[in-house]
Amino acid sequence: MNKILRSNSAEAEINTLGAELISFRKLDPEAEYIWSGDATYWTGRSPVLFPIIGAARNGEIKVDGKAYKIGNHGFARRSEFTLVQESDTHAVYRLSYDEKTLASYPFKFNLYITYKLNASTLELSYRVENSDEQDIFFQLGTHPAFNCPLDDNGSLRDYYLEFAESENLERLFLNSDGLLISGKSEPVLKQETILPLSHEMFAEGALIFRNVNSRQISLRSKHSAKSVVVTYKGFPDLGIWQPLNAPFICIEPWQGVADMDVFEGELQAKEGIITLKPGTNFTSSLTIEIN
């Protein structure tokens, strides 16, 4: 059963499958900010990416010389989480290792996702516990999709992303399959804070950035008062994506990126990998404010 968090001004709905946020809406006047999951474009809404981000070369990771088959963005988004704690305004979900996860990722872990709703602000906290007797290696990422335009009228060209700090951003491109990083890159921002949006900019797939300075990004329009403010900790990398001509935009803070198309190393050598010692935790957070 889906869990609904309520405040005086907003509601958030979460599915146990993937512990995925599937709705975040203002109540007065009513307005939905999260993508509907229409399969015409993309069935996702706000999946968690774990234990990898993007694709692994040849669809597999290598650990101690052994190959393990794993799907794009890992398995957490397709796994049933357990709701372990709840109230009217918060919910805690847990995904723990089992025989199925060990077949594609040979490490013991607990992944907790906590949701807290305060007025029109929703905080998502992530905690990975190493319950193994060895170091574990993983990437962790977010993937929220926001309706864009946020109003019934207007177009994507009316919108822009505003970074909290001036950025020198180099875009990394994906290969022709749209899954692995190709090695091609180009500058996108040069000591700027504003990134105008258009459908054409996604003709070659997602925009991928490493080591972004800002810890806050806003989705705004030149013609509407509605906006989304995304604040995050523990996510130095960033993906911006939409399927071409789709009516939504994804703002995806990450720790790590997909494999290069020539990568042949082990899991622990992947870009942005997190190393966690036995008995320790990794934490990060994502906050969404709807206006």
Side-chain angles (χ1 to χ4, degrees), residues 180-214:
L180 301 172
I181 293 175
S182 67
K184 175 186 173 184
S185 65
E186 71 175 18
V188 173
L189 294 182
K190 296 181 179 181
Q191 286 299 311
E192 297 170 279
T193 60
I194 302 298
L195 178 62
L197 296 175
S198 69
H199 292 299
E200 292 77 13
M201 66 197 299
F202 300 103
E204 295 185 67
L207 284 71
I208 298 172
F209 304 112
R210 298 293 322 271
N211 301 314
V212 178
N213 291 324
S214 298

Side-chain angles (χ1 to χ4, degrees), residues 4-289:
I4 297 178
L5 308 181
R6 292 186 175 90
S7 70
N8 290 333
S9 55
E11 285 186 350
E13 184 174 357
I14 305 131
N15 193 339
T16 54
L17 181 63
E20 184 175 12
L21 177 67
I22 61 172
S23 174
F24 189 22
R25 55 187 176 270
K26 280 274 200 178
L27 296 180
D28 187 22
E30 187 168 334
E32 177 63 68
Y33 286 73
I34 295 294
W35 167 242
S36 68
D38 183 346
T40 303
Y41 294 102
W42 183 54
T43 57
R45 303 188 192 192
S46 182
V48 60
L49 316 182
F50 176 90
I52 66 168
I53 292 170
R57 190 176 181 217
N58 299 321
E60 62 187 25
I61 57 174
K62 296 176 184 176
V63 179
D64 295 332
K66 184 178 178 180
Y68 297 82
K69 289 293 184 182
I70 192 166
N72 296 343
H73 291 318
F75 50 73
R77 62 183 180 140
R78 300 185 182 92
S79 300
E80 282 287 338
F81 282 63
T82 301
L83 179 60
V84 295
Q85 190 177 4
E86 63 178 314
S87 72
D88 290 344
T89 57
H90 97 285
V92 181
Y93 292 86
R94 182 187 67 226
L95 176 66
S96 299
Y97 75 93
D98 58 21
E99 291 183 3
K100 185 177 180 181
T101 68
L102 289 170
S104 60
Y105 176 71
F107 297 105
K108 299 176 181 179
F109 69 91
N110 291 303
L111 168 61
Y112 290 89
I113 304 178
T114 299
Y115 290 86
K116 292 182 180 179
L117 179 62
N118 181 19
S120 297
T121 299
L122 182 66
E123 181 179 348
L124 292 75
S125 301
Y126 304 86
R127 177 162 57 96
V128 181
E129 291 180 350
N130 181 353
S131 51
D132 213 318
E133 297 176 352
Q134 60 183 322
D135 290 358
I136 68 172
F137 310 99
F138 61 92
Q139 297 171 321
L140 181 69
T142 70
H143 204 311
F146 302 105
N147 289 325
C148 191
L150 292 168
D151 286 320
D152 293 333
N153 40 39
S155 71
L156 185 64
R157 287 189 178 277
D158 299 330
Y159 285 79
Y160 58 92
L161 296 179
E162 183 176 12
F163 291 80
E165 298 184 34
S166 292
E167 299 285 353
N168 283 310
L169 294 182
E170 187 88 6
R171 175 186 181 177
L172 305 182
F173 285 85
L174 298 172
N175 65 6
S176 58
D177 293 331
L179 298 175
L180 301 172
I181 293 175
S182 67
K184 175 186 173 184
S185 65
E186 71 175 18
V188 173
L189 294 182
K190 296 181 179 181
Q191 286 299 311
E192 297 170 279
T193 60
I194 302 298
L195 178 62
L197 296 175
S198 69
H199 292 299
E200 292 77 13
M201 66 197 299
F202 300 103
E204 295 185 67
L207 284 71
I208 298 172
F209 304 112
R210 298 293 322 271
N211 301 314
V212 178
N213 291 324
S214 298
R215 291 296 171 262
Q216 186 177 88
I217 302 171
S218 303
L219 173 64
R220 301 187 184 278
S221 169
K222 294 176 285 187
H223 305 300
S224 171
K226 289 183 179 177
S227 66
V228 176
V229 180
V230 178
T231 307
Y232 46 93
K233 296 178 182 178
F235 295 115
D237 307 314
L238 180 69
I240 305 294
W241 177 73
Q242 67 159 214
L244 195 57
N245 298 320
F248 66 87
I249 190 85
C250 294
I251 302 173
E252 310 171 39
W254 297 338
Q255 171 68 58
V257 296
D259 283 350
M260 293 283 292
D261 56 11
V262 295
F263 180 75
E264 295 182 348
E266 295 224 340
L267 175 64
Q268 67 191 74
K270 284 169 67 68
E271 291 285 346
I273 204 74
I274 300 163
T275 301
L276 198 58
K277 293 189 176 300
T280 61
N281 302 306
F282 171 85
T283 60
S284 56
S285 65
L286 177 81
T287 300
I288 302 170
E289 179 184 350

